């Protein structure tokens, strides 16, 4: 074969800026869509009920979201690596109880929180070990640990419960006080969110989690320490579930053996609504956090505008469907526009 | 056979390496030495063990026996990362990119330049990627996600990635299989520069002329066994083929003259916005029509739209007088159309299914009795075609993913030829297929045409197009830019049309 | 013409009833199984432990089985089946669903098992006796009276219930509404009934919603232990603390903190341990043949005194206790 | 054509591979089947009251809802999708059944209406997945809430129990004093149909192909979307049927019937060796998984194992179900590697 060494393709990178900005927009659009839905919803509610965004109202909204935001953040990291952790609800429950038991015996609040985080991280490590060492489907393994941890929790807890009376006042106050309308819990969640988001974006190991989720084989070939990263993701997720457990205790002042059961579906919903794909490698923790905020806000909005709680479940589900459908349609539209623009650009360049 | 080798220690070498996959012994006691400043070719039929050898070098597979030597010292690579750290860069046969990440991230994953506190410096990742692409003459946006890149573009990204290592050893497993001449030339230019700077290069290709262009020495494998290592100087293509196949080969492009009949495939003003525009052509019974063009010209997209896997926005397609419904491959199949897609891993095969089941996927109409599968019919249909195309396999029930690249391609062909199509569209039918089988495929296509099948052949291998086609259509930027008769079609005329340097229009 | 509701109604059911012998000897070495709505639920654990004490004091064997979810009706059914299989002598069950357990319970009774429901009833023909924690009427009315006292007889109030399907809740709520019709409550307006599904978070958010939707809300009645606890926790951490009154049914241990910090003035409950004990005595009395579940039959229930079976086979524990700052420390359950 | 260029070493190798096959690849679904058998034998011999007909009929009757939904769920999962809304669909179907019954409609009319409702539920799921290209996990989490919510609106706090006795008897009764519930027969028929469809028809083949590689399936002319849609519809119908059965079996139609059923079905199906990534598994395995869990629960309850411990056992079983085959494979591979390493080293050292 003779080589016709004509430089067919023009010099590279002539106008990447324009293209990049557009692509950036596409990616951001996912989060934007959720944010837009959220704002519209909150705005509309405020119009029909002026109490809704009162000082107390905003505080409540933020407080409600805190725990879900934390767990969803951890879950998003795991999902980005193309895995899933269904055991978060159970881990949350058992960590909350552990922290409560410790506080009941007169422990310090800070250590109680650390204890919950450590216990969560421990279960995260167990999940991570099972998933990464055995290279087995995360869904099954964590469904298994969901049952196991819940079982251990109920055997341990039995019919005991931690009530507000057992907790030091400082801890309970920490659960609802804050700076002006921003509760301490929300600040904490925000800090965690920002840290995890920054880590995923700006550190090699964070980027490697995306790589790993995007294509596990390619990641192995690229020398990504797959097991280590999966382990990190699970430990992080577990630790955040543990932290969420401690905050749950502070917030609700009450923990029993059923605490956190069924929570996994809410968390998974938040992550999905936030645009983190279950096929791994895409989405962001910010999206997941927005998803969490959206979901918890729906639960506050409906009672606030006087929707009978009989309707809540149905409306919840339909809104969830709407959110993902709108997001999807938007993404398709943008992709189509992009395709046409690319074609125009190409023909313009070669004309 | 004894041939002088350089006196220096090889940078990277294999000594007596064997590797088995269950029953299959992919390598048996193979040795290979790579020297600094030398480009070494690896030749062999499909399934000879080339890719396996490379994976042994790169630490993907641990050899069952034998050793890997780095600078003369035995080393044990525990994974690709070890090999990479030792200065070995590999381009694997199948592109392995992260579809969700940007092209730039794909190239620098795990090695991104960092700023203070270990943070990734995104800007310099982007800049370095742009520089690499400029060096290769590639027109890709570093921020573009890898998803949606054509196979060729993916291959180019892989090449850029390998180059970015500034490695001491550059290993390339069929990097050119999806590329057209100009990209290959650019690549070879860059590789030569690297070699002159002292890198050792290992190169695999089934295009023998490329081996002669780029390399100094060649190692031949047959059935996993080492056959020869020798300088290319003084060797002819025929010599090389004989070493690979163990016998002489017939003519490479055996196009028989056939009588062309009625129009079998008729495409009118086919348009898919942003991809291709106003494409019209006919293919007659007994005719092989070549569809040429540069990578990304839109040939595959046209084929897919015609077959119905993609929708089109305007125009019409007729097969043997039946107008096809857009977006309905099953109807197209019923009308007698078959498409051998370009990406065998994603589109051609269900990699986790057996050879038998893969071939069977297109034949439910023939292999069911009263709505139930007839295992025997399914099996005999599959065996028949696997044997006719010389697929090299241990058992028909083996998972297709364990076959060598070329043999996978044969299974795709078998799957579609088994439907006895009236109109056959083949997209890069011989990508990754060895010379011997390539001739076989060409003979087969000729024979099909002679039987009255209409063949549309898309290929980036220009000699293949020129050798096989009765007529050549050329695409440029999503439009048909020329239609050339066999007599008119030359390398110059096709390239001119493909790069848009003519305004010939479609001369019918 | 197919089978419709009217056809089915004609079939009717039959309740087997033998003859009671009030002087029959109390049998020993019976197996009495408690099947609460949910195991590990502190309320039921207290109740069942009361039952356990009573069963053991009567010289029989106690056992407890049950599902770990309060809405797993299918699970509860299979526990009834299992107990039938194991030939338990008597079952005391708190039904998750008035209808779902029927087939299984009838099957059990056919196999000679005595069936008592406690806390939450099934349909009357599916058990022999229902041991009620207090008459539903008392509970419903006293909660309204307590609320009226706390808000000074006027203002908007709301109810925070458990699941929409909870039978006992709904009965109490009906009596509350009935009580509110009385002229002395003409200034009190029930503005809404919300459902928190006995889930802490949901009840929490429902409380928020009530307060946002009805800014002038003066009080909330929550006739469920989970609901009142969640509502109290929300009020305690909000600006409504002490301003919006809260009463209902709660356990002293749950509510102690809120009573002490002024979020809650008073609430009520029966003693679950006594409820369990009464259920145990009733079950043993049934199995011993001292009663059969007919109206008017009398039996002795140890320290609890003598009880009479009322209409529809209902035995009632008595009036609920009201807990406030002054007496809460006297209780531990 | 030249003769088939099979590897010259084939005869010698097939012997090896037969061995390897025997040792390494005991299929997981057979393993679950064997486990079920062992469990049954143990329960019959050691668990009091397990073997009597009444208990067995309870066991089967209580497991049937899960088994029924497991049929289409297996196919759906094999084709790479999942439906979490099955429990809610069943609940909705039961709620509608109750509401219509209360309204005085004939049950013979109600049941077809419920099944039709199942079609609609399945269509909604399927259309959202295939037309909009949304992930089924997300879609069905949404419809799970939506259907349950609608059920709540339809029936509110009612609980309908007065269905006609002959229907209730069919739902809960058994044939004479045998262990066979009436409802077992329709299930066996459905099971047979499902096995044939999945393992012996082009449709089944296509489902496997779609699950393993949707794109390759599309390029093979398989009508991916249509097949997926029909799988969702089937799942909807069978879930609705399960809802009807549930209401009759437990003689109670409530909006929260069958809550959490999806998790039980999925756990059982996973235990039966169905790969959630699609493309792998057998119906036999799935059904064995369903009955393994059912039997285990029944036996443990009879042995007075507490609910909490039962949960732990279920979880451990699930974890083992995925770790077990994996570890087995690794052991087999290690053994094979040792064997090849022990074999005489191949000749043909290269000359230089
Ligand atoms: N992972 C695997 N499992 C089982 N068999 C394998 C595996 N990888 C390769 N093989 C077998 O090893 C042999 C050598 O394959 P290899 O990919 O090295 O061939 P190749 O020379 O690269 O061929 P091609 O030119 O077609 O790419 C083939 O018979 C193939 O089927
Ligand atoms: N799956 C896809 N999604 C988005 N864009 C694509 C996809 N596949 C190809 N493209 C783009 O569409 C254009 C036409 O590609 P196509 O594959 O049809 O070209 P081709 O002429 O067949 O070249 P090739 O030799 O690579 O097959 C290119 O710009 C390519 O990058
Ligand atoms: Mg190869
Ligand atoms: Mg192409």
């Amino acid at each position: 074969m003779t080589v016709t060494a004509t430089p067919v393709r023009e010099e590279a990178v002539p106008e990447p800026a324009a293209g990049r900005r557009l692509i950036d927009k596409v990616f951001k659009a996912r989060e934007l869509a959720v944010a837009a839905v959220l704002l519209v919803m909150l705005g509309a509610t405020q119009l029909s009920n002026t109490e809704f965004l009162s000082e107390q109202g905003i505080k409540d909204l933020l407080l409600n979201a805190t725990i879900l935001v934390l767990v969803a953040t951890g879950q998003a990291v795991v999902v980005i690596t193309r895995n899933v952790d269904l055991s978060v609800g159970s881990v949350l429950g058992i960590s909350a109880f552990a922290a409560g038991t410790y506080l009941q015996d007169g422990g310090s609040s800070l250590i109680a929180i650390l204890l919950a985080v450590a216990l969560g991280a421990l279960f995260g490590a167990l999940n991570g070990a099972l998933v990464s060492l055995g290279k087995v489907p995360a869904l099954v393994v964590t469904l298994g640990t969901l049952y196991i941890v819940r079982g251990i929790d109920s055997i341990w807890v039995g019919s005991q419960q931690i009530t507000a009376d057992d907790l030091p006042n400082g801890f309970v106050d920490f659960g609802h006080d804050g700076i002006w309308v921003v509760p301490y819990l929300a600040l904490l969640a925000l800090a965690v969110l920002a840290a995890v988001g920054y880590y995923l974006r700006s550190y090699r190991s964070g980027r490697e989690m995306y790589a790993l989720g995007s294509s596990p084989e390619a990641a192995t070939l690229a020398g990504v320490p797959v097991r280590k990263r999966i382990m990190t993701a699970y430990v992080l997720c577990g630790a955040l579930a543990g932290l969420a457990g401690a905050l749950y205790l502070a917030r609700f002042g009450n923990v029993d053996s059923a605490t956190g059961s069924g929570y996994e579906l809410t968390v998974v919903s938040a992550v999905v609504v936030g645009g983190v794909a279950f096929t791994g490698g895409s989405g962001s923790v910010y999206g997941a956090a927005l998803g969490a905020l959206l979901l918890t806000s729906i639960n506050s909005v409906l009672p606030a505008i006087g929707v009978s709680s009989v309707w809540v479940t149905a409306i919840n589900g339909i809104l969830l469907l709407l959110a993902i459908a709108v997001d999807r349609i938007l993404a398709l539209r943008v992709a189509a526009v992009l395709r046409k623009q690319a074609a125009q650009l190409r023909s313009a360049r070669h004309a | 056979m004894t041939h002088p080798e350089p006196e220096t220690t090889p940078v990277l070498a294999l000594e007596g390496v064997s590797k088995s996959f269950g029953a299959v012994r992919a390598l048996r006691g193979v040795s290979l030495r790579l020297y600094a400043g030398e480009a070494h070719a690896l030749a062999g039929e499909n399934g000879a063990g080339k890719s396996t050898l490379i994976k042994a070098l790169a630490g993907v597979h641990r050899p069952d026996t034998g050793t890997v030597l780095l600078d003369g010292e035995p080393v044990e690579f525990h994974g690709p990362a070890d090999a990479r750290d030792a200065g070995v860069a590999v381009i694997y046969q199948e592109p392995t990119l992260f579809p969700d990440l940007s092209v730039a991230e794909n190239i620098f994953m795990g090695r991104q330049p960092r700023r203070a506190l270990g943070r990734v410096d995104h800007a310099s990742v982007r800049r370095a990627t742009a520089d690499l692409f400029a060096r290769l003459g590639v027109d890709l946006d570093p921020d573009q996600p890898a998803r949606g890149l054509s196979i060729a573009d993916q291959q180019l990204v892989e090449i850029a990635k390998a180059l970015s290592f500034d490695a001491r050893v550059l290993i390339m497993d069929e990097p050119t299989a999806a590329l057209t001449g100009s990209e290959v030339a650019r690549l070879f230019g860059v590789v030569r520069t690297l070699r002159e700077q002292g890198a050792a290069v290992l190169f695999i290709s089934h295009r023998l002329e490329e081996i002669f262009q780029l390399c100094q020495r060649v190692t031949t494998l047959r059935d996993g066994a080492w056959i020869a290592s020798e300088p290319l100087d003084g060797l002819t293509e025929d010599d090389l083929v004989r070493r690979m196949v163990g016998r002489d080969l017939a003519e490479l492009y055996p196009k028989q003259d056939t009588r062309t009949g009625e129009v079998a495939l008729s495409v009118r003003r086919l348009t898919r916005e942003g991809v291709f525009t106003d494409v019209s052509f006919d293919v007659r019974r007994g005719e092989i029509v070549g569809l040429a063009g540069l990578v990304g010209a839109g040939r595959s997209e046209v084929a897919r739209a015609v077959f119905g896997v993609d929708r089109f926005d305007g125009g019409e397609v007729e097969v043997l007088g039946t107008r096809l419904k857009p977006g309905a491959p099953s109807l197209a199949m019923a009308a007698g159309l078959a498409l051998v897609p370009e990406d065998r891993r994603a589109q051609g095969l269900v990699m986790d299914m057996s050879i038998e089941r893969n071939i069977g996927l297109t034949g439910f109409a023939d292999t069911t009795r009263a709505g139930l599968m007839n295992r025997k019919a399914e099996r005999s249909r599959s065996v028949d075609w696997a044997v006719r195309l010389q697929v090299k396999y241990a058992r028909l029930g083996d998972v297709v993913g364990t076959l060598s690249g070329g043999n996978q391609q044969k299974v795709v062909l078998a799957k579609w030829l088994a439907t006895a199509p009236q109109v056959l569209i083949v997209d890069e039918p011989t990508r990754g297929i060895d010379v011997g089988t390539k001739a076989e495929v060409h003979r087969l296509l000729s024979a099909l045409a002679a039987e009255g099948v209409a063949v549309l052949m898309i290929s980036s291998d220009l000699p293949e197009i020129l050798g096989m086609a009765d007529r050549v259509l050329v695409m440029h930027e999503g439009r048909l830019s020329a239609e050339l008769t066999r007599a008119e079609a030359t390398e110059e005329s096709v390239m001119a049309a493909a790069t848009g340097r003519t305004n010939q229009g479609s001369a019918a | 013409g197919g089978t419709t509701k009217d056809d089915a109604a004609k079939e009717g059911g039959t309740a087997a009833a033998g003859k009671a012998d009030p002087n029959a000897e109390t049998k020993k070495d019976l197996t009495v199984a408690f099947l609460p709505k949910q195991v590990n639920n502190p309320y039921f654990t207290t109740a069942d432990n009361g039952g356990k004490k009573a069963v053991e004091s009567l010289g029989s064997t106690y056992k407890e089985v049950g599902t770990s979810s309060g809405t797993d009706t299918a699970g509860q059914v299979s526990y009834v089946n299992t107990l039938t299989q194991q030939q338990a002598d008597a079952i005391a069950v708190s039904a998750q669903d008035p209808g779902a357990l029927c087939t299984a319970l009838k099957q059990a009774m056919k196999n000679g098992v005595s069936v008592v429901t406690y806390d939450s009833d099934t349909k009357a023909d599916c058990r022999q006796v229902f041991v009620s924690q207090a008459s539903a009427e008392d509970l419903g009315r006293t909660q309204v009276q307590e609320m009226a006292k706390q808000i000074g007889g006027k203002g908007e109030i709301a109810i925070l219930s458990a699941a929409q399907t909870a039978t006992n809740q709904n009965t109490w709520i009906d009596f509350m509404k009935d009580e509110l019709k009385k002229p002395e409550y003409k200034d009190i307006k029930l503005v809404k009934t919300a459902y928190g599904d006995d889930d802490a978070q949901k009840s929490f958010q429902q409380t928020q919603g009530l307060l946002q939707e009805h800014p002038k809300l003066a009080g909330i009645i929550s006739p469920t232990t989970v609901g009142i606890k969640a509502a109290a926790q929300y009020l305690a951490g909000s600006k409504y603390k002490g301003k919006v009154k809260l009463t209902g049914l709660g356990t002293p241990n749950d509510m102690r903190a809120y009573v002490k910090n002024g979020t809650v003035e008073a609430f009520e409950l029966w003693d679950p341990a006594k409820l369990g004990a009464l259920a145990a005595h009733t079950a043993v009395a049934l199995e011993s043949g001292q009663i059969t579940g007919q109206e008017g039959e009398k039996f002795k229930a140890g320290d609890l005194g003598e009880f009479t079976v009322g209409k529809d086979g209902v035995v009632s524990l008595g009036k609920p206790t009201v807990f406030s700052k002054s007496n809460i420390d006297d209780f531990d359950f | 054509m030249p003769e088939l260029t099979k590897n010259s070493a084939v005869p010698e190798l097939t012997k090896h591979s037969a061995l390897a096959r025997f040792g390494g690849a005991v299929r997981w679904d057979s393993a679950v089947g064997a486990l079920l058998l062992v469990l049954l034998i143990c329960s019959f011999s050691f668990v009091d009251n397990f073997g009597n007909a009444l208990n067995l009929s309870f066991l089967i009757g209580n497991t049937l809802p899960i088994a029924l939904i497991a049929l289409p769920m297996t196919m759906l999962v094999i084709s790479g999708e999942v439906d979490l809304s099955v429990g809610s669909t069943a609940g909705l179907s039961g709620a509608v059944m109750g509401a219509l019954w209360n309204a005085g409609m004939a049950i013979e009319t109600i049941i077809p209406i419920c099944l039709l409702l199942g079609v609609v539920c399945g269509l909604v799921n399927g259309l959202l997945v295939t037309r909009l290209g949304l992930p089924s996990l997300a879609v069905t989490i949404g419809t799970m809430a939506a259907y349950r919510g609608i059920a709540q609106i339809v029936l509110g706090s009612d609980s309908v129990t007065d269905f006609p006795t002959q229907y209730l008897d069919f739902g809960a009764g058994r044939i004479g004093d045998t262990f066979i519930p009436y409802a077992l027969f329709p299930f066996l028929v459905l099971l047979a149909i499902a096995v044939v469809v999945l393992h012996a028809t082009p449709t089944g083949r296509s489902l496997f192909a779609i699950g393993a590689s949707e794109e390759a399936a599309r390029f093979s002319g398989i009508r991916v979307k249509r097949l997926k849609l029909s799988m969702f519809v089937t799942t909807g119908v069978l879930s609705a049927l399960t809802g009807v059965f549930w209401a009759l079996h437990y003689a109670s139609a409530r909006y929260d019937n069958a809550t959490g059923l999806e998790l039980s079905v999925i756990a059982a199906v996973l235990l039966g060796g169905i790969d959630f990534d699609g493309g792998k598994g057998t119906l036999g395995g799935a059904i064995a998984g369903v009955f393994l869990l059912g039997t285990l629960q029944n036996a443990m309850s009879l042995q007075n194992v507490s609910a909490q411990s039962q949960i732990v056992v279920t979880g451990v079983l699930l974890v083992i179900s995925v770790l077990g085959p994996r570890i087995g494979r690794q052991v087999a591979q290690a053994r094979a590697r040792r064997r090849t390493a022990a074999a005489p080293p191949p000749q043909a050292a290269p000359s230089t």
Side-chain angles (χ1 to χ4, degrees), chain A residues 27-223:
Chain A
F27 283 119
K28 295 233 173 73
R30 307 204 60 121
E31 279 105 48
L32 272 181
V34 185
V37 173
L38 181 67
L39 288 180
V40 168
M41 193 179 77
L42 296 184
T45 313
Q46 173 66 10
L47 287 184
S48 78
N49 178 352
T50 45
E51 269 298 294
F52 184 65
L53 290 183
S54 64
E55 207 170 291
Q56 181 72 38
I58 295 177
K59 203 172 146 189
D60 287 345
L61 275 181
L62 292 174
L63 268 179
N64 290 343
T66 304
I67 291 163
L68 189 57
V69 164
L70 279 177
V71 186
T73 301
Q75 185 73 264
V77 176
V78 172
V79 171
I80 282 170
T81 67
R82 202 185 266 195
N83 286 293
V84 67
D85 186 353
L86 292 182
S87 70
V88 283
S90 305
V91 171
L92 183 149
I94 203 167
S95 316
F97 188 76
T101 313
Y102 174 75
L103 285 174
Q104 197 173 24
D105 302 337
S108 96
S109 301
L110 185 65
I111 294 182
I113 293 178
L114 291 180
L115 182 77
V117 172
L119 190 66
L122 190 77
F123 282 113
L126 173 74
N127 280 325
L130 288 174
V131 170
S132 66
L133 295 184
K135 284 197 190 136
V136 293
L139 196 79
V140 194
V141 169
T142 56
L143 185 61
T145 49
L146 176 155
Y147 287 133
I148 295 174
V149 177
R150 173 64 57 201
I152 294 175
D153 188 29
S154 10
I155 291 171
W156 177 31
V157 179
S159 64
Q160 304 172 60
Q161 60 173 341
I162 309 288
T163 62
D165 197 28
D166 303 324
L167 304 174
N169 285 335
F171 189 68
V172 176
D173 291 343
F174 171 69
H176 46 65
D177 287 354
I179 304 167
W180 188 50
V181 293
V182 189
Y184 296 128
L185 297 194
L187 283 176
L188 188 61
L190 204 67
V192 168
L193 174 69
V196 175
Y198 193 75
Y199 163 76
L200 282 182
R201 165 143 182 79
S202 296
Y203 283 84
R204 278 186 187 170
S205 46
R207 300 313 300 163
E208 284 175 353
M209 289 188 182
Y210 276 94
L212 166 59
S214 193
S215 167
E217 303 124 65
T220 320
L221 290 180

Side-chain angles (χ1 to χ4, degrees), chain C residues 3 5 11 85-86 97 164, chain D residues 52 108 157 165 254 302:
Chain C
T3 321
K5 197 177 171 71
E11 294 165 4
Q85 276 314 302
Q86 294 174 331
D97 178 287
Q164 215 195 337
Chain D
N52 77 44
E108 291 80 6
S157 59
T165 0
R254 302 201 322 177
L302 284 174

Side-chain angles (χ1 to χ4, degrees), chain B residues 21 24 26 46-52 93 174 206 402-406:
Chain B
F21 297 103
V24 181
N46 293 135
K50 304 181 295 295
S51 300
T52 309
Q93 185 166 10
E174 303 196 29
H206 288 297
T402 63
L403 292 182
S404 80

Side-chain angles (χ1 to χ4, degrees), chain C residues 23-36:
Chain C
N23 302 319
E25 197 178 328
T26 302
K27 286 192 189 158
K28 288 193 192 274
D29 293 327
L30 301 174
T31 306
V32 181
F34 273 68
L35 178 53

Side-chain angles (χ1 to χ4, degrees), chain D residues 2-296:
Chain D
E3 69 166 306
L4 168 63
T5 42
K6 261 195 181 175
N7 195 318
S8 54
V10 160
E12 165 213 354
L13 291 171
T14 32
K15 210 170 59 202
H16 258 259
S17 61
L19 256 174
R21 223 177 165 190
F22 184 74
V26 176
R27 293 202 342 220
W28 179 247
D29 50 353
S30 332
V32 176
L35 211 63
L36 175 60
L37 224 79
V38 170
L39 178 68
L40 281 175
I41 292 171
C42 290
S43 308
F44 271 113
S45 3
F46 303 120
V47 180
D48 288 344
N49 298 317
F50 179 84
N52 77 44
L54 185 62
N55 182 59
L56 289 179
S57 78
F58 286 154
L59 193 175
I60 297 172
N62 292 342
T63 314
L64 270 184
I66 297 175
L68 260 174
I69 296 185
L71 299 179
M73 185 72 92
T74 303
M75 299 202 206
L76 206 55
V77 172
I78 282 177
S79 74
E81 304 288 343
V82 68
D83 186 350
L84 294 179
S85 72
V86 286
S88 298
T89 307
L92 178 56
S93 150
V96 167
M97 180 171 161
L100 294 181
W101 175 252
N102 274 349
M105 203 181 264
I107 192 138
E108 291 80 6
T109 327
I110 294 176
I111 293 179
I113 290 178
C114 286
L115 298 187
L116 210 65
L117 185 77
V119 172
V120 174
C121 291
L123 264 179
V124 171
N125 287 333
L127 287 176
L128 283 170
V129 171
T130 58
R131 294 297 137 188
L132 273 185
L134 293 170
S136 55
L137 190 77
V139 166
T140 55
I141 283 181
T143 50
M144 175 165 85
Y147 296 162
R148 183 68 69 191
I150 296 171
Q152 195 173 356
I153 295 167
V154 168
L155 196 60
S157 59
D158 275 1
S159 123
V160 182
T161 56
D162 53 353
F163 295 111
T165 0
Q166 67 269 34
Y167 283 84
L168 292 180
D169 284 349
F170 176 80
R174 53 185 172 134
I175 298 174
D177 275 340
T178 63
F179 67 92
I180 304 165
Y182 294 115
L184 186 62
F185 288 105
F187 168 73
L188 288 179
V189 172
L190 287 172
L191 174 63
I193 294 175
V195 168
V196 169
V197 167
L198 185 61
H199 295 296
T201 66
T203 308
R205 283 290 158 78
S206 306
L207 288 175
F208 278 100
I210 293 171
S213 168
E214 181 167 337
E215 198 179 0
R218 211 157 50 89
F219 271 87
S220 305
I222 292 171
R223 298 178 186 189
V224 175
K225 288 186 177 175
R226 185 189 287 201
L227 252 180
K228 278 193 173 171
L229 187 62
S230 58
M231 283 327 299
F232 275 106
V233 170
T234 313
T235 311
V237 173
L238 280 184
S239 306
L241 183 67
T242 306
V244 170
F245 172 68
W246 187 290
L248 294 177
H249 184 72
Y250 295 115
S252 166
R254 302 201 322 177
Y255 83 84
D256 61 355
N257 271 3
T259 300
L261 190 65
E262 58 282 341
L263 223 54
S264 312
V265 173
I266 285 171
V269 164
L270 289 176
L271 182 62
I274 312 297
D275 189 336
F276 238 78
D277 293 337
K280 286 192 200 93
T282 62
L283 254 177
I287 296 301
V290 169
F291 281 96
L292 182 65
L293 282 184
T295 309
L296 201 64

